[in-house]
Amino acid sequence: MPTAPRVDLRAYDQLRPLRLEADFQPTAEGSVLIQLGATRVLCAATLEETVPGFLRGQGRGWVTAEYAMLPRATLSRTPREVVKGRPSGRTMEIQRLVGRALRSVVDLAALGERTLTLDCDVLQADGGTRTASITGAFVAMAMAMQRLVAARTLSRLPLRNYLAAVSVGIIAGQPALDLNYTEDSHAAVDMNLAMTGDGRYVEVQATAESEPFSDAEAAEMNRLGRLGIAQLMAAQHEMLQLPLPRL
Amino acid sequence: MPTAPRVDLRAYDQLRPLRLEADFQPTAEGSVLIQLGATRVLCAATLEETVPGFLRGQGRGWVTAEYAMLPRATLSRTPREVVKGRPSGRTMEIQRLVGRALRSVVDLAALGERTLTLDCDVLQADGGTRTASITGAFVAMAMAMQRLVAARTLSRLPLRNYLAAVSVGIIAGQPALDLNYTEDSHAAVDMNLAMTGDGRYVEVQATAESEPFSDAEAAEMNRLGRLGIAQLMAAQHEMLQLPLPRL
Amino acid sequence: MPTAPRVDLRAYDQLRPLRLEADFQPTAEGSVLIQLGATRVLCAATLEETVPGFLRGQGRGWVTAEYAMLPRATLSRTPREVVKGRPSGRTMEIQRLVGRALRSVVDLAALGERTLTLDCDVLQADGGTRTASITGAFVAMAMAMQRLVAARTLSRLPLRNYLAAVSVGIIAGQPALDLNYTEDSHAAVDMNLAMTGDGRYVEVQATAESEPFSDAEAAEMNRLGRLGIAQLMAAQHEMLQLPLPRL
Amino acid sequence: MPTAPRVDLRAYDQLRPLRLEADFQPTAEGSVLIQLGATRVLCAATLEETVPGFLRGQGRGWVTAEYAMLPRATLSRTPREVVKGRPSGRTMEIQRLVGRALRSVVDLAALGERTLTLDCDVLQADGGTRTASITGAFVAMAMAMQRLVAARTLSRLPLRNYLAAVSVGIIAGQPALDLNYTEDSHAAVDMNLAMTGDGRYVEVQATAESEPFSDAEAAEMNRLGRLGIAQLMAAQHEMLQLPLPRL
Amino acid sequence: MPTAPRVDLRAYDQLRPLRLEADFQPTAEGSVLIQLGATRVLCAATLEETVPGFLRGQGRGWVTAEYAMLPRATLSRTPREVVKGRPSGRTMEIQRLVGRALRSVVDLAALGERTLTLDCDVLQADGGTRTASITGAFVAMAMAMQRLVAARTLSRLPLRNYLAAVSVGIIAGQPALDLNYTEDSHAAVDMNLAMTGDGRYVEVQATAESEPFSDAEAAEMNRLGRLGIAQLMAAQHEMLQLPLPRL
Amino acid sequence: MPTAPRVDLRAYDQLRPLRLEADFQPTAEGSVLIQLGATRVLCAATLEETVPGFLRGQGRGWVTAEYAMLPRATLSRTPREVVKGRPSGRTMEIQRLVGRALRSVVDLAALGERTLTLDCDVLQADGGTRTASITGAFVAMAMAMQRLVAARTLSRLPLRNYLAAVSVGIIAGQPALDLNYTEDSHAAVDMNLAMTGDGRYVEVQATAESEPFSDAEAAEMNRLGRLGIAQLMAAQHEMLQLPLPRL
């Protein structure tokens, strides 16, 4: 049985059009506007010469992330979280995910007692904002690190690997790469995959709300995810030219 | 005694370069990115078919505004207000100012029982963000209204006047138009002026923290403010072509 | 066309009856109950031998203000802000205004590394509570300073000028001094004016919600405001006898 | 062994000077300023034509209380609770106590589906503010009820008894009536007693932090408390002239 | 007139079946699960080598308590307090009561600059949870202290007395010991009594919401309370074998 | 190279001792205390005859979960989240995970417009509390459903499958089943696996903070997880005897 066409006529293994625009916030240590189809996330890196209390005096650094959406990033307006007085569970989950993923490719000892904060602010949301945040935040972070090396603040780049992330899902029984919002709303399974340039996994988060998935489906989602991540890393490399492994 | 040159070499009665980019958030009813020098504010209009409780059943609409800054809109990172759990006093003051100014030129009866929310999110902050928010939010609001008229939701444009705002200040004894952040930090007086197209005042907020100001200084600040507002309205008119009075 | 009489039969350029009652809270460093018609605000000064973090080590002091209303200060009961968990935008705006105005006449270097907190608690609200807070808080602050000089904690009075504030408005097209609550609810324009004893402006806040105002109206409101402030300063002087300029 | 004199030379069974000032907040349905020595509490009654959800549709009313202190009611300034975002445990405990005590003498069915809120705001705190709140709030509540009867909103007074409260304590081994702040800070036992006009108990709260107390001490504290409450009810009766039993 | 039987057929002076289960949370310094009929409270002691700021440097320790209920400790589910963002007034009142009662029998100087925190978590609530918390927390605290003495952290047991608490009430005119939830809901008077092993009072809290109570009723409630506390202390002693006075 | 023994001498593919104790909170619709080694979680099901707003009127039910830890569930005391005023990011993430997993095996249409809330309260935490919460909450939920069927509230069991979850990790390069707290603290990879009785995946969450993992490692963790889940389902089945597929 032939599969139905996707809403935007992409192939099931095709990424949405990708664009990285560097230095969107020129006063930040590094910043990039990542666009993946209609999804746009502004990622900015801030360096501070301090670390959280639990790390003080150990000579190691820290990388953390924050995430938010502008109210009209969405089709109907989403109220600001400050009105409720606290970040939602979804926001906290994403912030923890992005920070964890970034730390997995950073040499925290080589960073020294410094904190890099990556702000990921969604200007337009059309699905995949958390994975776009990881992919974009990696670029903003690497740019900030390159400048710290150029300024001799750091003697070498405290990075071990490229890092990118993508979403995959199962729509009407068919595994598909890089879901947009419409597809995501109808997906039986939603999977987020973050991988390093040497082909290892940093995060696998696969969730079935309406329908559990089989081993075979897991394998196909995995194959599609690697395909997409390889293309995202190619775009990262074009901008950054880092001497690091990539898919 | 000749006055010292301004940090960016502008004349004391000169606005910073201005640019309005329409439909920056295409899913909003109206949106504009206003740039005034290095200050950039994204303004988006949302229409809801409801009004706050105190207005229900009166056949009149409401216009309100919200304001926030991205963390790296500023030279050093500003923590998100959601972390503290509440908008700062400064944020609340600005939101109330922007909403009040917009309502002064709207025919709330002609709007009907609807609420327009204007989100003003500062992407880059270099002084004058609250006045840029008023000037930009007017454009986003007017665009949303034009579409409501085109869609026959409204029978006529519920607007009475153009509206724009600008900051003026006194730096080293010299009144100056449209202060940037560096100037603002050293100004003895900070004034925000919002005016309608027919030359009347909507808001005058003049504050002297380090040095009170005289009648003569007030008059000169007023003259500079009108000059700047006339130019801002010319740019608004170029984009909107509204059949309304302007300076 | 003759203007209509005011609701309380005052002339349009007439203040409400004024009374200052010193030491209403005798344990405070200075305190005064200011009554302006039915509006009553209790102002109390507290001295602390510390300054906020951003001022530490600079040898300069700080002046700040807090504002609140008792629940039955108003005609119908107003819920306490602690129930909502945060001060309202209005409260924050007023607190910032009062603090800013007070600082403009204080010699913060002569105060030394100390903080004066002025608590303004509204016992009865009938319009003009924010300007009454400024006028009353100046008295409580000056009394506290006089005692610090008498106790030789300070070598001289760290004050440069008298300070008072008043509200003005436009009711049914007629500019009027010192609006009570009923008038304020119907005013097209609401203006708060804070001035120093040498006739200069500290704050001008003029807001038109229902109807913008012209240059001529601004000038007349200004004239009425000066008239009222001169009378308020006369009453302050009668109580304080400070060797400072006053209108 | 003769007992030491009290700090203010009162006898151990003597109340502080008492004064009740009616209608301190004239816009309230009933209000009184109660002064007991240097302790001053402003009590105001508000009537609302509604009841909390759990009582709706049962034809019965509700009485509740709120309590707060002005920042400079105390010798050194106490920060406002709104700054912390929530009422303290002490505030909540007092509010619940005052509300419970008032309800014990009210005929809630005769009140009808209405809520009386009693605001108790401490203008000056010198010990015994919670018992002064009960005694004063009873007066404000009864005045409001008398007016409702006069206005024929109620057909009869929904009150069963006078109500007053007083504090007693043990200082240096000696039971004493109506402790002021200095005494309270050194007391081994602190007891609050609320009684009805017919001599029955509404609340007995006796707390020993530094030293538990014996049956004999309990009995003597009880005797002193009744003495004090009889005098408080005499003053209430002088103002209210209610046809109700009193000690 | 013979009194009606109690809902669970107990005599009016009879406690519910009591059971103490030690070390329910084995990683705590001391812990006990106290069961009184269907009421079950888990009490755990934590020792920290620090004291609150107001006690620092005085060589004295501190004892404090926290209290909470699991959502399904109650017949219908009670929402978690974290959802509302703050402990309820009831929770704060109980926490303060338990902490105060415990401190009254502790020699804080002998404890040294340490804090003992007693967590009282209600697993099943059938009336009397606050008094069961006091009785159980005393056991957990004493066990922790015995271990500190065994470990030579303390040279002697910093305890002066046994401590236990019980509830008493008046149901349909009849004083009764140890009310369960059904009885408590219908009681005219609710009394909590905490006493030391030498027969003195630590806390007496008697509250009449529906009907004030007389001297004779107070005396009978007192007699029943002592009876119950003697039995609770016998059970504590069986487990702890402390060389201290008990009822 | 032979692998090092585990801290508790288990085999790498061995679960900790498991015990399920039914009806630990007898007033709940269903409840179970699940013990997995030293980890103990109390799971209780509450049925309410209502659904959240977004589901109203659709004839479908909802299943949700809440999670918390008692303060002394941990080796050193963990402060209550209510003190901070909000659930932590970790708590929210776990609550969402447990709720999602449970919903994946429930026939929400067959449940009708009802909400089942599963409270998971950790009495003792020694690793794996979130997966134990899923396994235990399934039992409590199924027991509640069986009673609803027995009571004819439901005509059939609204369940499609067994559900259980387990943690797996990589310690010193060696994949291991069911990590305890000590192992979890040193694991390079932490994976949580939730599966249905028919062998499909509901949740896969694999996170590498210190070291990314390969395809081969993922496969081995997956194999161990299935092994453990089969044993957990056997224990669930022994208690519930549901006519549903299981591993």
Side-chain angles (χ1 to χ4, degrees):
Chain A
M1 188 187 82
T3 56
R6 295 178 76 168
V7 285
D8 55 2
L9 305 180
R10 274 185 292 152
Y12 277 86
D13 60 358
Q14 191 181 350
L15 274 189
R16 291 176 287 176
L18 169 70
R19 185 173 161 219
L20 299 174
E21 181 178 344
D23 288 319
F24 193 83
Q25 282 186 320
T27 55
E29 278 77 80
S31 80
V32 72
L33 180 68
I34 179 169
Q35 308 199 32
L36 200 60
T39 287
R40 287 192 292 170
V41 185
L42 172 49
C43 304
T46 297
L47 182 84
E48 286 165 308
E49 294 286 330
T50 180
V51 286
F54 68 92
L55 277 179
R56 228 155 270 163
Q58 302 180 23
R60 305 175 66 237
W62 190 241
V63 175
T64 186
E66 296 197 3
Y67 172 95
M69 295 204 300
L70 294 199
R72 267 325 277 276
T74 44
L75 203 57
S76 63
R77 186 176 184 271
T78 307
R80 294 172 195 271
E81 299 196 333
V82 74
V83 172
K84 263 190 58 182
R86 59 174 80 172
S88 68
R90 178 183 174 274
T91 291
M92 287 201 188
E93 203 170 311
I94 295 176
Q95 294 185 157
R96 289 156 54 93
L97 165 67
V98 177
R100 241 172 18 225
L102 293 171
R103 284 192 296 275
S104 76
V105 292
V106 172
D107 181 341
L108 294 172
L111 181 57
E113 289 217 355
R114 298 181 178 89
T115 297
L116 274 166
T117 301
L118 276 298
D119 285 292
C120 302
D121 286 273
V122 179
L123 303 188
Q124 200 77 20
D126 188 34
T129 62
R130 78 184 69 189
T131 45
S133 293
I134 292 173
T135 305
F138 175 80
V139 174
M141 176 176 77
M143 286 173 56
M145 287 172 170
Q146 289 177 318
R147 284 168 187 166
L148 290 169
V149 171
R152 313 237 168 157
T153 306
L154 295 176
S155 56
R156 62 182 181 79
L157 203 71
L159 269 180
R160 298 201 187 100
N161 247 313
Y162 271 97
L163 169 77
V166 80
S167 81
V168 201
I170 300 181
I171 317 163
Q174 170 66 43
L177 176 64
D178 186 24
L179 309 190
N180 64 25
Y181 178 74
T182 308
E183 293 177 323
D184 193 49
S185 320
H186 296 88
V189 178
D190 183 25
M191 182 177 186
N192 294 299
L193 209 60
M195 296 189 78
T196 57
D198 62 1
R200 291 185 297 160
Y201 299 94
V202 164
E203 287 278 343
V204 180
Q205 292 195 342
T207 293
E209 186 143 338
S210 66
E211 191 63 37
F213 56 98
S214 67
D215 266 324
E217 287 168 326
E220 174 62 4
M221 287 194 287
N222 194 47
R223 190 188 67 83
L224 291 175
R226 281 190 177 241
L227 261 179
I229 286 173
Q231 293 171 56
L232 292 165
M233 285 183 183
Q236 290 176 329
H237 187 66
E238 192 175 349
M239 178 169 281
L240 296 168
Q241 300 292 334
L242 298 169
L244 296 174
R246 65 193 154 91
L247 281 197
Chain B
M1 190 186 81
T3 56
R6 295 177 78 167
V7 286
D8 56 2
L9 304 181
R10 273 186 292 152
Y12 277 86
D13 60 357
Q14 193 181 346
L15 275 188
R16 290 177 286 176
L18 169 70
R19 189 174 158 218
L20 299 173
E21 182 178 343
D23 287 321
F24 193 84
Q25 282 186 319
T27 54
E29 278 77 80
S31 80
V32 72
L33 178 68
I34 178 169
Q35 310 199 32
L36 201 60
T39 287
R40 288 191 292 171
V41 185
L42 173 49
C43 304
T46 297
L47 183 83
E48 285 165 309
E49 293 286 330
T50 179
V51 286
F54 67 91
L55 277 180
R56 227 156 271 162
Q58 302 179 24
R60 305 176 66 235
W62 189 241
V63 176
T64 186
E66 296 197 5
Y67 172 96
M69 296 203 300
L70 294 198
R72 268 324 278 276
T74 43
L75 203 58
S76 62
R77 187 176 184 271
T78 306
R80 292 172 196 273
E81 299 197 332
V82 74
V83 172
K84 263 190 59 183
R86 59 173 80 171
S88 67
R90 178 184 174 274
T91 292
M92 288 202 186
E93 204 171 309
I94 294 176
Q95 293 184 157
R96 289 157 53 92
L97 165 67
V98 177
R100 246 179 3 234
L102 293 171
R103 285 192 297 274
S104 76
V105 292
V106 172
D107 181 341
L108 294 171
L111 181 58
E113 290 218 356
R114 296 180 179 92
T115 298
L116 274 166
T117 301
L118 277 296
D119 284 294
C120 301
D121 285 90
V122 179
L123 302 188
Q124 199 78 18
D126 189 32
T129 63
R130 79 184 67 189
T131 45
S133 293
I134 292 173
T135 306
F138 175 82
V139 175
M141 176 176 77
M143 286 173 56
M145 287 172 170
Q146 287 177 320
R147 286 167 186 166
L148 290 169
V149 171
R152 312 238 171 158
T153 307
L154 295 176
S155 58
R156 62 180 178 81
L157 203 71
L159 267 180
R160 298 200 188 102
N161 247 314
Y162 272 96
L163 169 77
V166 80
S167 81
V168 200
I170 301 182
I171 317 161
Q174 171 66 44
L177 176 63
D178 186 23
L179 309 191
N180 65 24
Y181 178 72
T182 308
E183 293 177 322
D184 193 47
S185 321
H186 295 89
V189 178
D190 183 25
M191 183 177 184
N192 294 299
L193 210 59
M195 296 188 79
T196 55
D198 61 1
R200 289 185 299 158
Y201 300 94
V202 163
E203 286 277 344
V204 180
Q205 292 196 342
T207 292
E209 187 144 337
S210 66
E211 192 63 37
F213 56 99
S214 66
D215 266 324
E217 288 167 325
E220 175 62 3
M221 287 194 287
N222 194 47
R223 189 188 68 83
L224 293 175
R226 282 190 177 240
L227 262 179
I229 286 172
Q231 293 172 57
L232 294 165
M233 286 183 182
Q236 290 176 328
H237 187 67
E238 193 173 350
M239 178 168 281
L240 296 167
Q241 300 292 335
L242 299 169
L244 295 174
R246 64 190 153 91
L247 279 197
Chain C
M1 189 186 83
T3 56
R6 296 177 76 167
V7 285
D8 56 3
L9 304 180
R10 273 186 290 152
Y12 276 86
D13 61 358
Q14 194 182 346
L15 275 189
R16 290 177 287 176
L18 170 70
R19 186 174 160 217
L20 298 173
E21 182 179 342
D23 288 320
F24 193 84
Q25 281 186 319
T27 54
E29 277 76 81
S31 80
V32 72
L33 180 68
I34 178 169
Q35 308 199 31
L36 200 59
T39 288
R40 288 191 293 171
V41 185
L42 173 49
C43 304
T46 297
L47 182 83
E48 285 165 307
E49 294 285 331
T50 179
V51 285
F54 68 91
L55 276 180
R56 228 155 271 162
Q58 302 180 23
R60 304 175 67 234
W62 190 242
V63 175
T64 186
E66 296 196 4
Y67 171 96
M69 295 204 301
L70 294 198
R72 268 325 278 275
T74 44
L75 204 58
S76 63
R77 185 175 185 273
T78 307
R80 293 173 196 272
E81 299 196 333
V82 74
V83 172
K84 263 190 58 182
R86 60 175 80 173
S88 67
R90 179 184 174 273
T91 292
M92 287 201 187
E93 203 171 309
I94 294 176
Q95 294 185 156
R96 288 158 54 93
L97 166 67
V98 178
R100 245 179 5 232
L102 293 171
R103 284 192 297 275
S104 75
V105 293
V106 172
D107 181 341
L108 294 172
L111 182 57
E113 289 217 356
R114 298 181 177 90
T115 297
L116 275 166
T117 302
L118 276 297
D119 284 294
C120 301
D121 286 272
V122 179
L123 304 188
Q124 200 76 19
D126 188 32
T129 62
R130 78 185 69 189
T131 45
S133 293
I134 292 173
T135 305
F138 175 82
V139 175
M141 177 176 77
M143 287 174 55
M145 287 173 171
Q146 287 178 320
R147 283 164 189 169
L148 290 170
V149 171
R152 311 238 171 156
T153 307
L154 294 176
S155 57
R156 62 181 180 80
L157 203 69
L159 267 180
R160 298 201 187 100
N161 248 313
Y162 272 96
L163 170 77
V166 80
S167 81
V168 201
I170 301 182
I171 318 161
Q174 170 65 44
L177 177 63
D178 186 24
L179 309 190
N180 64 24
Y181 178 74
T182 309
E183 293 177 323
D184 193 48
S185 321
H186 295 88
V189 179
D190 183 24
M191 183 177 185
N192 293 300
L193 209 59
M195 295 188 79
T196 57
D198 61 1
R200 290 185 297 158
Y201 300 93
V202 164
E203 287 277 344
V204 180
Q205 292 195 341
T207 293
E209 187 143 337
S210 65
E211 191 61 37
F213 56 99
S214 67
D215 266 323
E217 288 168 325
E220 175 61 5
M221 287 195 287
N222 195 46
R223 189 187 68 83
L224 292 175
R226 281 189 178 242
L227 261 179
I229 286 173
Q231 293 172 57
L232 293 166
M233 285 185 182
Q236 291 176 327
H237 187 67
E238 192 174 351
M239 178 168 281
L240 296 168
Q241 300 292 333
L242 299 169
L244 295 175
R246 63 191 155 92
L247 280 195
Chain D
M1 190 186 80
T3 55
R6 295 177 76 168
V7 286
D8 57 1
L9 306 180
R10 273 186 291 152
Y12 277 86
D13 61 358
Q14 194 182 345
L15 274 188
R16 289 177 287 176
L18 169 70
R19 187 174 159 216
L20 299 174
E21 182 179 343
D23 287 322
F24 192 84
Q25 282 186 319
T27 54
E29 278 77 80
S31 80
V32 72
L33 179 69
I34 179 169
Q35 309 199 31
L36 201 60
T39 288
R40 289 191 292 170
V41 185
L42 173 49
C43 305
T46 297
L47 183 83
E48 285 164 308
E49 293 286 330
T50 180
V51 286
F54 67 91
L55 278 179
R56 228 155 271 163
Q58 302 179 23
R60 305 176 64 236
W62 190 240
V63 175
T64 187
E66 296 197 4
Y67 171 95
M69 295 204 301
L70 293 199
R72 269 321 281 274
T74 43
L75 203 58
S76 63
R77 186 175 184 271
T78 306
R80 293 172 195 273
E81 299 196 333
V82 74
V83 172
K84 262 190 58 184
R86 58 173 81 170
S88 67
R90 178 183 175 273
T91 292
M92 288 203 187
E93 203 171 309
I94 294 176
Q95 294 184 158
R96 287 157 56 93
L97 165 66
V98 177
R100 248 180 2 235
L102 293 171
R103 284 191 297 275
S104 76
V105 294
V106 173
D107 181 341
L108 294 172
L111 181 58
E113 290 217 357
R114 296 180 180 92
T115 298
L116 274 166
T117 301
L118 277 297
D119 285 292
C120 302
D121 285 273
V122 179
L123 302 188
Q124 199 77 21
D126 189 32
T129 62
R130 78 184 70 190
T131 46
S133 293
I134 292 172
T135 306
F138 175 81
V139 175
M141 177 176 77
M143 286 172 56
M145 287 172 169
Q146 288 177 319
R147 285 168 187 166
L148 290 170
V149 172
R152 312 238 170 156
T153 307
L154 296 175
S155 57
R156 63 181 179 81
L157 203 70
L159 267 180
R160 298 200 187 100
N161 247 313
Y162 272 96
L163 169 77
V166 80
S167 81
V168 201
I170 300 182
I171 317 162
Q174 171 64 45
L177 176 64
D178 186 24
L179 309 190
N180 64 23
Y181 178 74
T182 308
E183 293 177 322
D184 193 47
S185 319
H186 295 89
V189 178
D190 182 25
M191 183 176 186
N192 294 298
L193 210 59
M195 297 189 77
T196 56
D198 62 1
R200 289 184 300 159
Y201 300 94
V202 164
E203 286 279 343
V204 181
Q205 292 196 342
T207 293
E209 186 142 339
S210 66
E211 192 61 37
F213 56 98
S214 67
D215 266 325
E217 289 168 325
E220 174 62 4
M221 286 194 288
N222 194 46
R223 189 188 68 84
L224 292 175
R226 281 190 177 243
L227 261 179
I229 285 172
Q231 293 172 56
L232 293 166
M233 285 183 181
Q236 289 176 329
H237 187 66
E238 192 173 350
M239 178 168 281
L240 296 167
Q241 300 292 335
L242 300 168
L244 295 174
R246 64 192 154 91
L247 280 197
Chain E
M1 189 186 81
T3 56
R6 295 178 77 167
V7 284
D8 56 2
L9 304 180
R10 273 185 292 152
Y12 276 86
D13 60 357
Q14 194 182 346
L15 274 189
R16 290 175 288 176
L18 170 70
R19 187 174 160 218
L20 298 173
E21 181 179 344
D23 286 322
F24 193 84
Q25 281 186 320
T27 55
E29 277 77 80
S31 80
V32 72
L33 179 68
I34 179 168
Q35 309 198 33
L36 199 60
T39 287
R40 289 192 293 170
V41 185
L42 172 49
C43 305
T46 297
L47 182 83
E48 286 164 309
E49 294 285 332
T50 180
V51 285
F54 67 90
L55 277 179
R56 227 155 271 164
Q58 302 180 23
R60 306 175 65 234
W62 191 240
V63 176
T64 186
E66 296 197 5
Y67 171 96
M69 295 204 300
L70 294 198
R72 268 325 278 275
T74 44
L75 204 58
S76 64
R77 187 176 184 271
T78 307
R80 293 172 196 271
E81 299 197 334
V82 74
V83 172
K84 262 190 58 183
R86 58 175 81 170
S88 68
R90 177 183 176 275
T91 291
M92 288 202 188
E93 202 170 310
I94 294 176
Q95 293 184 158
R96 288 157 54 93
L97 165 67
V98 178
R100 244 176 9 230
L102 293 171
R103 284 192 297 274
S104 77
V105 293
V106 173
D107 181 341
L108 295 172
L111 181 57
E113 290 216 357
R114 297 180 178 91
T115 298
L116 275 165
T117 301
L118 276 299
D119 284 293
C120 301
D121 286 273
V122 179
L123 303 188
Q124 200 77 20
D126 188 33
T129 63
R130 78 184 69 190
T131 46
S133 293
I134 291 173
T135 305
F138 175 81
V139 175
M141 177 176 76
M143 286 173 56
M145 286 173 171
Q146 287 177 319
R147 285 166 188 168
L148 290 170
V149 171
R152 312 238 170 156
T153 306
L154 295 176
S155 57
R156 62 181 181 79
L157 203 71
L159 267 180
R160 298 200 187 102
N161 248 313
Y162 272 96
L163 169 78
V166 80
S167 81
V168 200
I170 301 181
I171 317 162
Q174 170 65 44
L177 177 63
D178 186 24
L179 310 190
N180 65 24
Y181 178 74
T182 309
E183 294 176 323
D184 193 47
S185 320
H186 295 89
V189 178
D190 183 24
M191 183 177 184
N192 293 300
L193 209 59
M195 297 188 78
T196 56
D198 62 2
R200 290 185 298 159
Y201 300 93
V202 164
E203 286 278 343
V204 181
Q205 292 195 342
T207 293
E209 187 144 337
S210 66
E211 192 63 35
F213 56 98
S214 68
D215 266 325
E217 289 168 324
E220 174 62 4
M221 287 194 288
N222 194 46
R223 190 188 68 84
L224 292 175
R226 279 187 179 245
L227 262 179
I229 286 173
Q231 293 171 58
L232 293 165
M233 284 183 183
Q236 289 177 330
H237 186 67
E238 192 174 350
M239 178 168 280
L240 295 167
Q241 300 291 334
L242 298 169
L244 296 174
R246 63 192 154 90
L247 278 197
Chain F
M1 190 185 81
T3 55
R6 293 178 79 167
V7 285
D8 56 1
L9 305 180
R10 272 185 292 152
Y12 276 87
D13 60 358
Q14 193 181 346
L15 274 189
R16 290 176 287 175
L18 169 71
R19 187 174 160 218
L20 298 174
E21 182 178 342
D23 287 320
F24 192 84
Q25 282 186 319
T27 55
E29 276 78 80
S31 79
V32 72
L33 179 69
I34 178 170
Q35 309 198 32
L36 200 59
T39 287
R40 289 191 292 170
V41 185
L42 172 50
C43 305
T46 297
L47 182 83
E48 285 164 309
E49 294 286 331
T50 178
V51 285
F54 67 91
L55 277 178
R56 228 155 269 163
Q58 301 180 24
R60 305 175 65 235
W62 189 241
V63 176
T64 186
E66 296 197 5
Y67 172 95
M69 296 203 300
L70 293 198
R72 269 324 279 276
T74 44
L75 202 59
S76 62
R77 186 176 184 270
T78 306
R80 293 173 195 274
E81 298 196 333
V82 75
V83 172
K84 262 190 59 183
R86 58 174 81 170
S88 67
R90 177 183 176 273
T91 292
M92 288 201 187
E93 203 170 311
I94 294 175
Q95 294 184 158
R96 288 156 55 92
L97 166 66
V98 177
R100 247 180 2 235
L102 293 171
R103 285 192 298 274
S104 76
V105 293
V106 172
D107 181 342
L108 295 171
L111 181 57
E113 289 218 356
R114 297 179 179 91
T115 297
L116 274 166
T117 301
L118 276 297
D119 285 293
C120 301
D121 285 272
V122 179
L123 303 188
Q124 200 78 19
D126 188 33
T129 63
R130 79 185 69 190
T131 45
S133 293
I134 292 173
T135 306
F138 175 81
V139 175
M141 177 176 77
M143 287 173 55
M145 287 173 170
Q146 288 178 318
R147 285 167 186 166
L148 291 170
V149 171
R152 312 237 170 156
T153 306
L154 295 176
S155 56
R156 62 180 180 82
L157 203 71
L159 268 180
R160 298 201 187 101
N161 248 312
Y162 272 96
L163 169 76
V166 79
S167 81
V168 201
I170 301 182
I171 318 162
Q174 170 65 45
L177 176 63
D178 186 23
L179 308 191
N180 65 23
Y181 178 74
T182 308
E183 293 176 324
D184 193 48
S185 320
H186 295 90
V189 178
D190 183 25
M191 184 176 184
N192 293 299
L193 210 59
M195 296 188 79
T196 56
D198 62 1
R200 289 185 298 160
Y201 300 93
V202 164
E203 286 277 343
V204 181
Q205 293 195 342
T207 292
E209 187 143 338
S210 65
E211 191 63 36
F213 56 99
S214 66
D215 265 324
E217 289 168 325
E220 174 62 5
M221 287 194 289
N222 194 48
R223 190 188 67 86
L224 292 175
R226 280 189 179 244
L227 261 178
I229 287 173
Q231 293 172 56
L232 293 166
M233 285 184 181
Q236 290 176 330
H237 186 67
E238 193 175 349
M239 178 169 280
L240 296 167
Q241 300 290 335
L242 299 169
L244 296 174
R246 63 191 153 93
L247 280 197

